[in-house]
Amino acid sequence: MSENIENKNTSSDLSAKEQYELKRQKKKEDKTSNEKVVGGKMSTTAKIVWGVVLIGVIALVVAIVTAPKIEKVEVPLLEDVKELGEKVPIQTVTHIGTREDHAEYNSNPPTSGPHYAEAPGAGFYKKGLKDEEAVHGLEHGNIWISYTSEVDEETVALLEGIYLRNLGSVILSPREENDAPIVLASWGRKLELQEYDESTIYTYIKLHKNESPEPFAK
């Protein structure tokens, strides 16, 4: 009796319909098995992605924690002062090519006039800037602080501190052509300083930042 049952389960004893159903069931099982494998791969990929994201978040947190802190300094501003420096007549504003000649600037350093089409962002340009670059920064409302080699390293560090506390507003760079050791320039205005004066510099930034055709400085 058991022998007959076993023989009936072999493919040769199955009817055509039963064989069809058996094959269909096998395909279904194979498909389910494949989906599980693929699902497993997706799960592994997801784990890798989340692992990378987690590492990135940890790295960012570490960078923030270990970044040098900019100490907030309350600098006394000059009292009862509404403007600083001398006004300079505004020159024609045009964009020029990097090798294109232009009319001579009417101040040293320049405070308006022809300039390159690409504007420098606020920043500390230790290797210097071309006047045509800096002027475009002034047009965007930045304060340009430039200094000569007469300024010692300690004072340069103080100027850098001012830049760091006014991110998005100050362009700082060396410039040997200046008529004074330190010069503050904004659009149509400049102030020459023979020595570092923190209160005067901060007051100038507060009064004359964004006094320009395109006031984008922060």
Side-chain angles (χ1 to χ4, degrees):
M1 180 85 172
S2 60
E3 228 172 276
N4 291 336
I5 293 173
E6 285 177 11
N7 290 338
K8 191 175 181 181
N9 286 334
T10 64
S11 59
S12 60
D13 293 336
L14 296 175
S15 65
K17 182 178 179 181
E18 288 173 328
Q19 289 183 35
Y20 171 77
E21 290 294 335
L22 184 63
K23 288 180 180 179
R24 195 165 68 111
Q25 182 64 29
K26 188 174 185 306
K27 286 183 180 179
K28 186 176 180 181
E29 290 174 356
D30 290 344
K31 183 179 178 182
T32 303
S33 177
N34 289 337
E35 286 177 351
K36 287 180 179 179
V37 171
V38 172
K41 286 183 179 178
M42 289 176 63
S43 177
T44 301
T45 302
K47 288 178 181 178
I48 293 173
V49 171
W50 279 108
V52 171
V53 171
L54 182 59
I55 291 171
V57 171
I58 293 172
L60 179 61
V61 171
V62 171
I64 292 173
V65 171
T66 58
K69 301 295 187 295
I70 304 302
E71 183 183 354
K72 188 175 180 181
V73 177
E74 294 293 336
V75 179
L77 301 177
L78 302 178
E79 295 182 3
D80 301 322
V81 174
K82 294 183 179 180
E83 66 176 41
L84 283 170
E86 62 174 293
K87 285 186 177 181
V88 180
I90 302 298
Q91 292 183 281
T92 302
V93 179
T94 55
H95 285 175
I96 59 173
T98 55
R99 298 182 180 180
E100 187 177 343
D101 292 333
H102 59 81
E104 186 178 350
Y105 289 122
N106 61 355
S107 67
N108 182 33
T111 60
S112 67
H115 53 263
Y116 294 160
E118 187 173 346
F124 184 7
Y125 297 87
K126 297 181 180 181
K127 294 184 178 180
L129 278 174
K130 290 185 177 181
D131 289 347
E132 293 83 358
E133 294 174 309
V135 169
H136 200 160
L138 299 182
E139 187 183 32
H140 286 187
N142 291 292
I143 302 298
W144 180 20
I145 303 176
S146 55
Y147 59 90
T148 69
S149 55
E150 293 181 41
V151 177
D152 59 33
E153 291 184 4
E154 183 179 348
T155 303
V156 172
L158 292 173
L159 292 173
E160 184 177 5
I162 289 178
Y163 150 69
L164 290 172
R165 294 184 183 92
N166 291 274
L167 291 174
S169 302
V170 170
I171 294 172
L172 176 63
S173 71
R175 187 176 185 275
E176 286 303 315
E177 297 82 3
N178 285 353
D179 295 325
I182 300 172
V183 181
L184 311 181
S186 54
W187 189 254
R189 182 181 294 273
K190 73 183 181 79
L191 173 65
E192 297 180 352
L193 296 175
Q194 296 302 318
E195 59 184 19
Y196 179 82
D197 185 333
E198 197 164 67
S199 293
T200 297
I201 294 173
Y202 271 94
T203 303
Y204 188 98
I205 293 171
K206 181 179 179 181
L207 291 175
H208 302 301
K209 177 179 72 175
N210 284 325
E211 287 185 340
S212 62
E214 300 175 8
F216 299 149
K218 296 178 182 178

